[in-house]
Amino acid sequence: MPMKLLTSAVFAGVAAGLIAALLQFTFVTSSLLEGELYESGAKVHFAVDGSPQSPRGGAEIDFAAEPMRYVMTMAFNVVTYVGFGFLLVALMALAEARGLTKITPRQGLIWGIAGFIAIQLAPAIGQPPVLPGSIGADIGPRQAWWMATLLTAGLAMWLLAFGRGLLPLLAVPLLLAPQFVGAPTLDTYFGVTPAELAAQFSAMSLGYAAAGWTALGFFAAYFYTREAA
């Protein structure tokens, strides 16, 4: 059983991590690079005669110029999704061992979406992905809020899927509680990047994360059931 969980998580994590890295390079990295230009001062918003405009673009991916950067980005995606793969496969095995469900690759898609909601989307409501140069509250309180949100959202997903009687109703307050408490924020706005660029980066980051998690759920269930066959 441990070897089955290990191989399923590793294969699923590598597959999902490579897909996520490809999507990140295609849709997210150019926004990230442009944000770095504003962070460094190479580009400045509101710089020309007080006009609320600045030229779009100016940052393109160049694999030849910084090969190690992109290799490390791909490696980070793979390692991250392998880690999440261990968590997902372990929960699948627990649910199946308790007779709560029978894991299938199709069902794995739902597990992946639930993982995205718990670990990416719910925390992003209070702390969305931000471009370089963004300023936020102290890291300690933000990490504590993120962890609390992750745990409550994860429990909410489990109750929605496997709770009996009135227990699934508890998922709603669990999901809302961290948002009512509120993520740590500053009393003033900061930022050197255009709002449109920041919004694009945030939306694209969540989009590629949703695709990565969906792929992780499918591959985790696929390799888990294949190992069991």
Side-chain angles (χ1 to χ4, degrees):
M1 178 63 74
M3 183 56 66
K4 169 184 170 181
L5 298 180
L6 174 65
T7 55
S8 299
V10 170
F11 290 153
V14 170
L18 292 176
I19 291 173
L22 177 61
L23 293 173
Q24 184 176 2
F25 291 148
T26 304
F27 297 107
V28 181
T29 303
S30 59
S31 298
L32 176 66
L33 294 175
E34 190 172 355
E36 291 178 351
L37 294 178
Y38 285 99
E39 180 185 26
S40 66
K43 293 183 69 174
V44 181
H45 199 39
F46 296 100
V48 181
D49 300 326
S51 172
Q53 301 178 24
S54 55
R56 186 182 183 91
E60 301 298 333
I61 297 177
D62 187 349
F63 291 103
E66 297 181 287
M68 283 307 300
R69 171 175 182 158
Y70 299 109
V71 170
M72 291 302 295
T73 296
M74 184 175 294
F76 178 78
N77 273 281
V78 169
V79 170
T80 299
Y81 277 97
V82 167
F84 285 138
F86 281 118
L87 174 63
L88 205 57
V89 172
L91 290 173
M92 287 179 176
L94 176 63
E96 199 167 61
R98 293 193 173 186
L100 297 174
T101 187
K102 180 67 176 177
I103 301 299
T104 65
R106 184 174 180 179
Q107 191 185 76
L109 295 171
I110 301 174
W111 280 75
I113 293 171
F116 164 71
I117 293 172
I119 296 180
Q120 302 282 163
L121 184 59
I125 294 174
Q127 297 187 54
V130 294
L131 278 167
S134 300
I135 301 174
D138 291 341
I139 188 66
R142 284 192 289 144
Q143 287 180 333
W145 184 90
W146 179 86
M147 181 59 69
T149 304
L150 185 155
L151 293 174
T152 55
L155 180 57
M157 294 299 101
W158 186 271
L159 289 176
L160 283 173
F162 305 118
R164 297 180 179 179
L166 298 178
L167 282 178
L169 296 177
L170 293 177
V172 175
L174 282 172
L175 286 170
L176 293 177
Q179 311 305 331
F180 279 118
V181 172
T185 58
L186 296 174
D187 295 331
T188 55
Y189 291 114
F190 288 92
V192 295
T193 58
E196 296 89 343
L197 179 62
Q200 175 181 303
F201 174 79
S202 181
M204 288 294 186
S205 295
L206 290 174
Y208 103 85
W213 268 98
T214 303
L216 179 65
F218 172 81
F219 286 119
Y222 172 80
F223 288 116
Y224 177 79
T225 55
R226 186 180 179 88
E227 290 285 336

